[in-house]
Amino acid sequence: LYPRDFPFIGGQEGGGTIAAVSDEAAAQGIKIGDKVAYSVFGSYAEYTAVPAAKLLPIPDGVGVDVATACVVQGLTAHYLTTSAHVDLIKPGEWCLIHGVSGGTCQWAAQMAKLRGYKVIGTCSKGKEDIARKLGCDELIVLDEVPGTSYEDYESVDIVKKVMEVTDGKGAKCVIDGIGKSTMDISINSLAHRGIFVSFGNASGAVPAFPVLRLIGKSAYVTR
């Protein structure tokens, strides 16, 4: 999905202790020994060259592992819940978030609640204990695909459940990192003038679809 020129070093986020600084970085107050997290390509390495502007200082009391998780997952969850929906959802309205027991959407569910949205989350039975701790107003628990820990999105009629919970109105925003398996569910779960926010491909890329799919609810979609 995201082609790269070979050879390349994998990784997009990292954290650790600064081992060396340029004169320009030193002039900005960055010091050897500072704990930082960052997001740059090539982070799966013992050392990574990171532009000073990309460094995120890690506060005392926060572990490097937690801070590193904040960089991509946390910032992704932040834009999903604050700006990707272009304010088409308001406090007190329903937001459907798929896979709330996963990394990014654990953050997203909690951030959505902090913004005042009512949250419906989906998760697998095997990760229900994680999802129950996130404060979702409603949780749709799915069977797992045999032999895996992945949700079986055909095991429950999610659209029906969403409509029951929302008194037939649907969700004003759907945050979907699953992709191919949930595209139809997400679109069909939308409220009038709701927005389908697609950001991931866990089950495969979302296939192209005609814009007329959105006409019934004058809905929106963003990627």
Side-chain angles (χ1 to χ4, degrees):
L1 292 175
Y2 310 110
R4 297 283 302 276
D5 294 330
F6 289 93
F8 71 90
I9 299 172
Q12 189 180 345
E13 60 188 346
T17 303
I18 293 177
V21 297
S22 67
D23 292 340
E24 293 85 353
Q28 297 178 43
I30 297 169
K31 305 182 300 297
I32 292 174
D34 287 351
K35 289 197 307 178
V36 294
Y38 50 87
S39 176
V40 296
F41 287 126
S43 63
Y44 292 171
E46 188 175 358
Y47 296 98
T48 306
V50 183
K54 295 277 190 177
L55 295 173
L56 301 172
I58 300 177
D60 293 337
V62 177
V64 173
D65 55 344
V66 174
T68 302
C70 287
V71 180
V72 173
Q73 292 184 352
L75 292 178
T76 298
H78 185 268
Y79 82 72
L80 289 172
T81 55
T82 60
S83 61
H85 52 63
V86 293
D87 290 332
L88 290 170
I89 181 172
K90 305 297 182 186
E93 295 181 323
W94 287 99
C95 180
L96 170 63
I97 304 178
H98 290 299
V100 293
S101 54
T104 299
C105 285
Q106 285 188 48
W107 295 86
Q110 295 172 84
M111 290 179 185
K113 287 296 298 177
L114 288 171
R115 291 185 62 82
Y117 309 143
K118 294 188 287 187
V119 176
I120 303 170
T122 68
C123 72
S124 67
K125 287 181 177 177
K127 296 181 179 179
E128 182 180 355
D129 58 331
I130 297 172
R132 291 287 178 195
K133 300 175 183 178
L134 304 176
C136 295
D137 296 275
E138 297 287 342
L139 193 62
I140 300 173
V141 182
L142 309 170
D143 292 337
E144 296 172 342
V145 175
T148 77
S149 61
Y150 304 131
E151 298 95 333
D152 179 356
Y153 284 93
E154 296 182 354
S155 64
V156 174
D157 188 338
I158 295 175
V159 176
K160 181 180 178 181
K161 290 280 189 182
V162 169
M163 292 303 169
E164 288 174 354
V165 169
T166 62
D167 295 324
K169 295 179 180 178
K172 289 293 287 189
C173 176
V174 179
I175 295 175
D176 186 345
I178 305 301
K180 185 178 180 180
S181 295
T182 49
M183 181 194 80
D184 290 329
I185 295 169
S186 295
I187 293 173
N188 293 335
S189 295
L190 286 171
H192 181 68
R193 289 194 170 274
I195 185 167
F196 166 32
V197 180
S198 173
F199 78 97
N201 319 287
S203 65
V206 173
F209 62 90
V211 71
L212 284 174
R213 281 287 309 273
L214 306 173
I215 194 172
K217 297 176 180 178
S218 297
Y220 302 85
V221 61
T222 188
R223 177 65 167 88

